[in-house]
Amino acid sequence: MEFSEHIKTANVEDVVLRRPFHPPMQGTLCVTGHHLLFSNRDGDSSRLVLLLLRNIDAIEKRPSVSSGTITLKCKDLCVLQLDIPGMEECLNIARSIEYLSSLDIVSDMYPFFYRPLKLSLQDQWGLSSPEQNYAQMEELQDRWRLSHVNKDYSVCPSYPPAVIVPHSIDDETLVKVAKFRQGGRFPVLCYYHRKNGMVIMRSSQPLTGANRKRCREDELLLQAVIDGSGLGYIIDTRSNQQAQQARMTGGGFESKSSYSCWKRLHRQLERGKVLQESLIKLVEACGDHSHSVDRWLSKLENSKWLSHVHTALATAGLLAECVERDGHSVLVHGSEGTDATLLVSSLAQLILDPNTRTLDGFLGLLEREWLLAGHPFQHRCAHSAYSHARLRLEAPVFVLLLDCVWQLARQFPLAMGFSEPLLLRLAREVYASDYGTFLCNSDQERCAAGVKERTHCLFQFLLKPSEREHYSNPLYEPTELAIWPSIQPQSLQLWRGLFLRWTQHAVHLEKAQEELRNLVIECRGAS
Amino acid sequence: MASASIPVYNRSNNPLENSSSQNASRESLKMEPLAVTLLPGEERVIDKDIMYICPFSGPVKGKVFITNYRLYFKSADADPSVTLNVPLGAIGRVEKMGGASSRGENSYGLDITCKDMRNLRFALKQEGHSRRDIFDILFRYAFPLSHGLLLFAYLSQEKYEENGWSVYKPMEEFRRQGLPTDKWRITFINDNYELCDTYPTILVVPFKATEEDLRKVSTFRSRGRIPVLSWIHRENQAVICRCSQPLVGMSGKRNKDDERYLDVIREANGTAKLTIYDARPSVNAVANKATGGGYEGDDTYQNAELVFLDIHNIHVMRESLKKLKDIVYPNVEESHWLSSLESTHWLEHIKLVLSGAIQVADKISGGNSVVVHCSDGWDRTAQLTSLAMLMLDSHYRTLRGFQVLLEKEWISFGHKFASRIGHGDKNHADQDRSPIFVQFIDCVWQMTKQFPTAFEFNERLLMTILDHLFSCRFGTFLYNCESARDTNEVRSKTVSLWSLVNSDSTSYLNPFYTPESSRVLYPVASMRHLELWVTYYIRWNPRIRQQQQSPVEQRYMELLALRDEYLKKLEELQLTDSSPNSSHLSNSSASNAASPTQHINHLHTPF
């Protein structure tokens, strides 16, 4: 595609850029296919500000006779303002931004054009494959096998080509089970608890429908999961009522009569629109800078964001408790099994499994439980909190995950091998990135679009020696113990680092964090 | 030290955490089976079998011991055991609960309200007036001043290596600030507390003002609290002065001497317009005219501008904290936590105090002198001046400097600790009581949260200060002013809290401290950036306990220790060839904290 046809005015002189923490700057604004480029030459020194167009969530223009002002609200919650001389230029630029910031075709997006010198397209893409993951877990191999039933994505388009299932269940059975689960997402293993051999499985809802259809193969598969251990738990991320209602539209739940060895627990996690609106309200409250006696705490409460954090952590805690304390295997699902399900299963793994708390382990977890497990990133992160566009499939589930992880890290400051800057970086990259990692909605789509051949991998980049230091927790001290978060409302805090990122306060804390890091590094250097 | 796991989901709480986590008790009280280490001078008065009605884990059978310093409870057979360790000074109110004929289990006993955000309930057997003796004794010893007894600080025989009373020497502190100068002089006019009985003896006043001027000004300021210098900016010579309200009254009285005096303050560094910060809401300032007070009118004080800071009075603050206690103890409000918190207005008050102090500090940084007052100049004024000084002067952010700040702005300038806290006094409904100092410490805590590397001391110091604000174990916070302290010989007959702190200073150091002398700290005083101090206000609730900074500190201390060990080895190796490079040590906070730990001989009294 030719981007230039959407750029009527490519260059404007004497533009004033206003952004947080910096005095207004005058210079030249330049629009390219993927970036806004602002440069200012002040004597010998020149400064360059580069903004990825994809990062722009909303644009507001106020043209007047001879000039105009464009306010850019970014997906990383930063708000910038451009004062542009010339109404014509202002409108042209605004139009270009509007169009180019919301490209739909994956292969038009910037990661396909990003070619930094230090990276090569020949580098490995991704951290690990299902095969490698399976090979590493020897202790489960006598009861669990790696199935390639989905090798051409025909059984479940949102699953990776290989998944782990009970040994006794053959591929033929899996195909039948897939037909009984929404989107073909049949139950697969996502975590094996070494201490007691219990597992976490995830899937989508069973398609029981109004007339309570059964599927022998599905029952067989679940029976094989708890084989011998007597009882399993199903954590349904919908309320009982929602689950009942789902039957009217062909969905449903595992009834007591058909799955007698499984005990169902319902925990209602919000998803989709409700979650997106919560984020919008939160960001609105954070951005309201009226210094009058605002009712900040009420606004914060009304946004309900922290109660979503609470529910997610509480459900993950419950799941981990079932596995670790009660010694039972758990199947977790909601309806589609691509959002709340992944949120709960990955948080539970962080609580239980020290391997997921290292920098490598955490990124590996995200790869397994979010990228390969088919969280529809492209749909969910098309827009962030500022967009005026009509909401479609947007939902900040991944941001919610990062927030929950931040709460964990805050409560267990030594237990995580990675740092807050990593979480902040991920929160930014998921919406707009130079890398291909978060493109598309599933592994299948990524393969089809050539993402793995034609873009660079964010996770590989973050693990490079040059980056690793910055994203590691200097005070990290591994613990084998499970980390049980406190979920009292008093223990959960607003993630100021993200939501109040563009205030003076964040600068103080960032500076302090930097000092702290230097202290520790200096200290390590000596010893 | 790994991050230990704490159980939270539907588990019974860990009653270990029920035990008082006071530092006071930790260092001086070692639990052996039924043995308590008493403080030197502490004596056992009574013990009794009793039922502690724990709000978190239900009734617990055990034994209560009362000494002249504390109430101590130990469960008989609960597993894990439950202990309580409460200095009697922390008790605000003791009441009988139920009567001889009350029905229902555990309905007969004692109900104790504490000043440190908790209540305690004990149940006894109904037969034979079993609670009479313990009630009487508790009532006597918790409120010694109401019963002609001495506060425990006068009975304590504690000995420390460091003498905390030598921490603050006014002359030394003024010299450190570069005083006197050619514009500011030191006066001993108040040597006998004749000018102002709630001020210290040594004051700094404008060079141009004569003793006679001071006397005249004192007649026009509430309780004689004339404007005096608290702090001077070394470079621009801008000053913070503090005082009480002018006695303007309904008729709008003027006083030429007072007007001239303020103008002399303005002149001292060539400030064009002196800014007077009146901490009160303007309505209150106006209302004060009715009782003879008031504020500096624009027309009378021509070279001054008056700014009201809208901070409410002691009664509002008392009610606000009471509301906060209601939503955190014993049960924490859950479903609408944030809006309940908002309705207490506690954080909003914190915000107003902090933003007032920021304005003061900002004016000073800009080279303009300021005068700060409220009504009497010993509550809000002390909050504002000391917080502004904490922002401006990095010395006050050190462990010693912070002690000096408290000694100077709060203790010596007559914050009425005795009235605000009600030490040893049974009158729990006294309208003079108010948590002004607690609010100030909260503001300091907010600053340490926003600038984690700027303070040499840690959260434990702040908690310890608040614990001993109530405990009456030390003389530091006793009485309302210096003259009363002299009369009661506090410095010769009691131990200073700083003796305890400075004899074990490593426990109170922030390992992440990085000294930065010239930086002015402006915290963000917006509601978005203020947090409830959960570890203080909700510390008694075992369900709220969360991982705190301490594991991080501990981890860092371990790293520091490792480094020191390494450096020592290096030194040994280098002894022969070159002098060791000590540059690494120079900015280590732990290295200058190597004060030897004091060993106190404990009296072991088996109960």
Side-chain angles (χ1 to χ4, degrees):
Chain A
M1 188 192 76
E2 205 48 67
F3 299 119
S4 59
E5 66 193 66
H6 298 284
I7 305 175
K8 286 251 160 53
T9 301
N11 272 296
V12 194
E13 302 283 340
D14 298 322
V15 174
V16 176
L17 169 70
R18 296 169 209 278
R19 57 187 175 137
F21 313 137
H22 296 275
M25 209 159 81
Q26 192 166 32
T28 307
L29 180 74
C30 183
V31 189
T32 73
H34 293 107
H35 289 98
L36 276 189
L37 226 144
F38 182 89
S39 64
N40 123 306
R41 236 169 242 112
D42 187 16
D44 292 336
S45 68
S46 71
R47 264 183 302 178
L48 205 69
V49 180
L50 194 67
L51 180 71
L52 196 58
L53 286 168
R54 186 88 196 155
N55 188 10
I56 296 170
D57 204 26
I59 165 166
E60 286 159 21
K61 44 186 190 283
R62 276 197 311 277
S64 66
V65 185
S66 62
S67 69
T69 298
I70 296 179
T71 305
L72 301 174
K73 297 187 168 176
C74 299
K75 291 170 183 166
D76 62 6
L77 307 182
C78 184
V79 178
L80 309 163
Q81 194 185 308
L82 295 165
D83 300 339
I84 300 170
M87 187 178 81
E88 184 70 25
E89 285 81 354
C90 174
L91 290 174
N92 283 343
I93 286 186
R95 224 170 289 135
S96 302
I97 294 173
E98 271 162 8
Y99 182 84
L100 294 168
S101 63
S102 50
L103 298 174
D104 282 336
I105 301 164
V106 175
S107 59
D108 283 348
M109 291 179 188
Y110 186 62
F112 286 90
F113 298 83
Y114 179 60
R115 295 289 176 267
L117 288 174
K118 57 192 178 208
L119 296 176
S120 154
L121 285 179
Q122 264 68 59
D123 292 344
Q124 189 193 331
W125 207 98
L127 302 176
S128 182
S129 65
E131 285 79 8
Q132 285 164 315
N133 287 332
Y134 179 76
Q136 277 164 11
M137 296 189 283
E138 277 169 33
E139 60 277 15
L140 63 69
Q141 287 166 3
D142 58 330
R143 284 195 53 221
W144 300 85
R145 69 185 184 91
L146 191 70
S147 163
H148 292 92
V149 68
N150 197 40
K151 61 180 181 299
D152 51 5
Y153 304 105
S154 58
V155 177
C156 172
S158 60
Y159 270 174
V163 290
I164 302 172
V165 294
H167 227 297
S168 57
I169 302 297
D170 58 28
D171 284 358
E172 213 173 307
T173 311
L174 291 178
V175 173
K176 286 184 182 141
V177 176
K179 294 209 172 85
F180 186 63
R181 294 274 171 177
Q182 182 171 358
R185 296 175 68 90
F186 54 90
V188 295
L189 178 137
C190 65
Y191 174 67
Y192 179 85
H193 197 50
R194 285 186 175 81
K195 273 185 213 150
N196 58 13
M198 294 302 128
V199 298
I200 301 177
M201 310 281 294
R202 56 174 159 70
S203 69
S204 60
Q205 63 178 340
L207 301 173
T208 52
N211 46 18
R212 301 171 191 276
K213 226 167 53 199
R214 292 179 62 167
C215 170
R216 282 238 48 90
E217 289 77 10
D218 194 75
E219 292 163 25
L220 215 62
L221 193 159
L222 289 190
Q223 191 56 43
V225 170
I226 49 170
D227 174 40
S229 69
L231 180 73
Y233 282 101
I234 295 171
I235 292 183
D236 193 322
T237 63
R238 305 163 294 180
S239 68
N240 197 2
Q241 199 192 358
Q242 285 172 326
Q244 297 283 354
Q245 277 166 355
R247 284 174 36 220
M248 298 305 133
T249 50
F253 53 89
E254 296 81 355
S255 66
K256 192 78 217 161
S257 53
S258 325
Y259 300 84
S260 54
C261 290
W262 290 83
K263 189 170 159 37
R264 234 169 51 240
L265 303 168
H266 289 275
R267 290 290 183 276
Q268 188 183 346
L269 271 77
E270 293 300 345
R271 57 204 87 209
K273 211 169 171 174
V274 177
L275 213 51
Q276 183 72 12
E277 276 163 3
S278 170
L279 179 74
I280 291 172
K281 273 192 193 165
L282 173 66
V283 170
E284 202 174 270
C286 291
D288 179 0
H289 287 296
S290 54
H291 265 288
S292 56
V293 183
D294 45 7
R295 303 184 21 90
W296 159 249
L297 290 174
S298 297
K299 283 183 191 160
L300 182 58
E301 182 173 285
N302 288 338
S303 80
K304 294 217 164 68
W305 181 259
L306 283 173
S307 67
H308 299 316
V309 170
H310 170 269
T311 316
L313 280 172
T315 310
L318 175 74
L319 168 48
E321 207 172 38
C322 292
V323 173
E324 157 99 6
R325 293 221 174 95
D326 300 347
H328 294 295
S329 288
V330 181
L331 167 69
V332 53
H333 71 73
S335 35
E336 290 156 314
T338 53
D339 296 286
T341 302
L342 305 183
L343 179 64
V344 171
S345 78
S346 42
L347 284 173
Q349 292 180 55
L350 278 163
I351 293 173
L352 292 172
D353 184 4
N355 296 326
T356 61
R357 300 183 211 134
T358 63
L359 178 59
D360 300 70
F362 180 59
L363 294 178
L365 177 75
L366 296 183
E367 185 175 72
R368 272 190 289 118
E369 287 297 283
W370 290 81
L371 293 166
L372 292 174
H375 176 66
F377 280 101
Q378 196 179 338
H379 289 151
R380 298 291 179 256
C381 300
H383 283 289
S384 174
Y386 288 126
S387 173
H388 306 302
R390 199 169 58 82
L391 288 182
R392 283 178 302 183
L393 299 164
E394 291 83 357
V397 192
F398 190 70
V399 175
L400 184 59
L401 170 86
L402 295 176
D403 195 331
C404 292
V405 175
W406 177 82
Q407 307 280 353
L408 273 175
R410 190 181 153 274
Q411 292 186 24
F412 299 91
L414 306 182
M416 303 294 192
F418 51 89
S419 63
E420 181 172 359
L422 178 80
L423 300 175
L424 291 170
R425 172 104 193 221
L426 291 170
R428 196 180 76 218
E429 298 278 350
V430 74
Y431 281 101
S433 179
D434 294 344
Y435 300 87
T437 301
F438 293 119
L439 292 178
C440 305
N441 293 307
S442 64
D443 195 51
Q444 184 189 22
E445 284 184 27
R446 272 183 284 273
C447 288
V451 168
K452 295 178 187 183
E453 291 80 36
R454 293 167 52 207
T455 76
H456 295 289
C457 171
L458 174 67
F459 293 173
Q460 282 291 345
F461 172 71
L462 294 176
L463 292 175
K464 287 198 176 299
S466 56
E467 307 301 305
R468 193 178 267 280
E469 186 75 68
H470 182 59
Y471 294 114
S472 303
N473 174 7
L475 295 167
Y476 173 54
E477 191 183 16
T479 170
E480 285 301 310
L481 299 170
I483 51 170
W484 303 103
S486 166
I487 51 162
Q488 303 286 331
Q490 295 75 20
S491 305
L492 303 176
Q493 292 282 343
L494 175 69
W495 185 10
R496 294 197 172 83
L498 179 66
F499 296 110
L500 298 172
R501 169 82 187 74
W502 304 102
T503 61
Q504 199 54 40
H505 176 82
V507 182
H508 295 158
L509 281 186
E510 232 163 67
K511 189 162 180 268
Q513 273 169 8
E514 201 50 48
E515 276 168 21
L516 202 150
R517 175 180 302 279
N518 290 339
L519 272 175
V520 174
I521 290 167
E522 179 199 337
C523 172
R524 283 241 181 81
S527 47
Chain B
M1 272 299 290
S3 349
S5 73
I6 40 172
V8 266
Y9 311 98
N10 319 319
R11 299 282 143 177
S12 65
N13 24 306
N14 179 0
L16 260 182
E17 313 198 336
N18 247 342
S19 68
S20 156
S21 61
Q22 290 200 7
N23 301 304
S25 39
R26 207 178 304 142
E27 78 231 356
S28 53
L29 190 102
K30 284 200 198 85
M31 270 306 304
E32 290 149 29
L34 279 186
V36 186
T37 308
L38 297 186
L39 297 171
E42 182 177 0
E43 279 169 15
R44 168 187 155 202
V45 183
I46 189 177
D47 53 59
K48 206 172 184 77
D49 288 324
I50 209 161
M51 183 84 84
Y52 167 50
I53 317 289
C54 175
F56 311 111
S57 50
V60 187
K61 253 195 208 133
K63 203 164 196 165
V64 70
F65 308 91
I66 292 171
T67 72
N68 52 0
Y69 172 67
R70 82 184 89 205
L71 178 157
Y72 184 82
F73 170 84
K74 174 134 176 57
S75 60
D77 44 30
D79 181 41
S81 72
V82 176
T83 56
L84 280 176
N85 186 8
V86 187
L88 297 181
I91 293 176
R93 179 179 187 176
V94 185
E95 293 213 308
K96 290 175 182 167
M97 166 180 86
S101 57
S102 298
R103 277 146 199 252
E105 226 181 328
N106 303 324
S107 60
Y108 175 85
L110 300 175
D111 202 340
I112 298 171
T113 309
C114 295
K115 297 171 180 177
D116 59 1
M117 304 292 283
R118 57 179 160 166
N119 299 333
L120 307 170
R121 296 177 78 184
F122 293 100
L124 292 108
K125 290 197 190 75
Q126 253 148 312
E127 307 87 57
H129 306 289
S130 61
R131 73 176 166 201
R132 186 185 288 163
D133 52 349
I134 186 167
F135 174 81
D136 287 347
I137 281 170
L138 205 54
F139 202 70
R140 263 168 79 81
Y141 284 91
F143 312 119
L145 295 186
S146 303
H147 296 91
L149 299 174
L150 289 172
L151 290 168
F152 180 73
Y154 286 91
L155 304 168
S156 167
Q157 302 290 320
E158 288 184 85
K159 299 272 183 293
Y160 290 96
E161 191 165 275
E162 292 271 331
N163 179 9
W165 293 123
S166 61
V167 161
Y168 176 56
K169 300 205 177 75
M171 287 303 280
E172 238 170 60
E173 165 59 16
F174 284 129
R175 252 198 302 272
R176 186 193 66 86
Q177 292 189 22
L179 294 163
T181 68
D182 56 345
K183 304 284 188 191
W184 295 92
R185 67 185 179 91
I186 287 164
T187 173
F188 300 95
I189 187 173
N190 202 36
D191 217 12
N192 296 313
Y193 305 108
E194 275 162 0
L195 181 81
C196 171
D197 61 357
T198 59
Y199 262 7
T201 53
I202 298 173
L203 300 171
V204 177
V205 295
F207 194 82
K208 276 192 176 170
T210 66
E211 308 291 77
E212 195 44 41
D213 293 335
L214 301 179
R215 284 198 190 88
K216 283 182 187 155
V217 172
S218 76
T219 62
F220 191 63
R221 289 279 164 179
S222 176
R223 297 171 203 268
R225 294 173 69 91
I226 61 167
V228 295
L229 179 146
S230 265
W231 191 78
I232 184 163
H233 193 287
R234 262 181 188 280
E235 275 87 55
N236 63 31
Q237 299 286 301
V239 299
I240 302 177
C241 288
R242 59 180 294 170
C243 59
S244 59
Q245 63 182 340
L247 299 174
V248 175
M250 287 301 267
S251 56
K253 270 200 302 267
R254 292 181 60 166
N255 181 310
K256 285 281 173 215
D257 300 299
D258 193 70
E259 290 165 25
R260 198 171 330 114
Y261 184 77
L262 287 196
D263 210 42
V264 170
I265 292 176
R266 177 190 65 79
E267 264 173 30
N269 81 330
T271 297
K273 227 174 176 59
L274 181 71
T275 306
I276 301 169
Y277 287 105
D278 188 326
R280 303 167 289 186
S282 58
V283 213
N284 298 32
V286 173
N288 259 286
K289 285 186 171 181
T291 50
Y295 53 89
E296 294 84 354
D298 290 344
D299 39 343
T300 44
Y301 294 81
Q302 303 231 328
N303 293 321
E305 58 167 345
L306 183 69
V307 178
F308 292 106
L309 293 176
D310 287 325
I311 302 169
H312 285 279
N313 62 24
I314 60 167
H315 310 295
V316 175
M317 301 310 178
R318 181 179 56 240
E319 294 314 309
S320 176
L321 189 63
K322 202 173 276 169
K323 278 190 200 153
L324 181 61
K325 182 174 178 178
D326 287 344
I327 64 164
V328 301
Y329 195 95
N331 296 310
V332 174
E333 163 67 43
E334 283 208 28
S335 51
H336 292 285
W337 163 247
L338 291 172
S339 46
S340 316
L341 178 60
E342 183 166 68
S343 67
T344 70
H345 296 288
W346 182 253
L347 287 175
E348 209 175 299
H349 295 311
I350 297 276
K351 177 188 101 170
L352 284 170
V353 173
L354 272 174
S355 60
I358 291 169
Q359 291 180 54
V360 173
D362 192 46
K363 264 282 179 264
I364 296 290
S365 299
N368 298 295
S369 292
V370 305
V371 170
V372 183
H373 71 72
C374 44
S375 301
D376 290 312
W378 50 45
D379 293 308
R380 287 166 279 196
T381 300
Q383 290 180 329
L384 290 168
T385 56
S386 52
L387 285 170
M389 287 156 75
L390 204 56
M391 293 169 196
L392 289 163
D393 189 340
S394 60
H395 175 64
Y396 297 127
R397 295 175 220 143
T398 63
L399 182 61
R400 291 286 180 134
F402 188 63
Q403 296 166 16
V404 168
L405 184 72
L406 297 189
E407 286 282 348
K408 180 176 179 317
E409 288 302 297
W410 288 87
I411 297 166
S412 87
F413 271 100
H415 171 68
K416 301 205 295 174
F417 282 104
S419 308
R420 297 291 175 253
I421 307 301
H423 291 132
D425 177 49
K426 66 175 183 185
N427 186 7
H428 60 82
D430 188 347
Q431 293 295 301
D432 253 359
R433 294 196 183 176
S434 183
I436 299 301
F437 187 74
V438 174
Q439 188 175 52
F440 159 74
I441 293 291
D442 192 330
C443 291
V444 176
W445 179 82
Q446 304 283 351
M447 284 183 68
T448 63
K449 285 304 262 189
Q450 294 196 18
F451 301 97
T453 58
F455 293 83
E456 191 190 19
F457 53 85
N458 59 16
E459 185 179 26
R460 180 180 296 160
L461 178 79
L462 300 179
M463 305 268 271
T464 304
I465 288 172
L466 289 185
D467 285 339
H468 293 298
L469 172 67
F470 305 121
S471 78
C472 298
R473 178 174 153 195
F474 300 99
T476 303
F477 297 119
L478 300 183
Y479 302 104
N480 283 334
C481 56
E482 293 292 61
S483 58
R485 263 170 229 121
D486 284 1
T487 315
N488 291 286
E489 299 170 88
V490 168
R491 286 194 173 78
S492 54
K493 290 190 169 165
T494 73
V495 176
S496 160
L497 169 59
W498 314 129
S499 302
L500 168 95
V501 169
N502 295 337
S503 299
D504 178 27
S505 50
T506 37
S507 322
Y508 302 101
L509 292 178
N510 169 17
F512 303 115
Y513 174 55
T514 42
E516 253 186 301
S517 57
S518 58
R519 185 161 156 224
V520 180
L521 300 187
Y522 292 116
V524 180
S526 128
M527 288 292 285
R528 291 174 183 72
H529 298 284
L530 299 179
E531 264 175 51
L532 183 71
W533 187 6
V534 170
T535 34
Y536 178 70
Y537 298 113
I538 322 188
R539 63 176 155 161
W540 309 121
N541 188 328
R543 295 190 182 107
I544 300 297
R545 277 286 298 268
Q546 46 179 311
Q547 289 260 324
Q548 282 314 314
Q549 197 65 14
S550 49
V552 179
E553 279 185 28
Q554 190 144 11
R555 173 84 174 121
Y556 183 71
M557 297 295 243
E558 283 168 17
L559 288 172
L560 277 184
L562 253 176
R563 181 185 66 172
D564 289 349
E565 204 174 289
Y566 169 81
L567 283 176
K568 218 166 112 196
K569 271 187 201 148
L570 191 75
E571 238 170 86
E572 282 163 12
L573 287 171
Q574 288 180 337
L575 263 182
T576 43
D577 28 280
S578 67
S579 64
N581 176 4
S582 62
S583 69
H584 277 299
L585 278 170
S586 60
N587 63 359
S588 140
S589 52
S591 59
N592 52 20
S595 77
T597 343
Q598 161 90 10
H599 295 285
I600 310 158
N601 289 325
H602 296 299
L603 294 172
H604 287 267
T605 311
F607 280 114

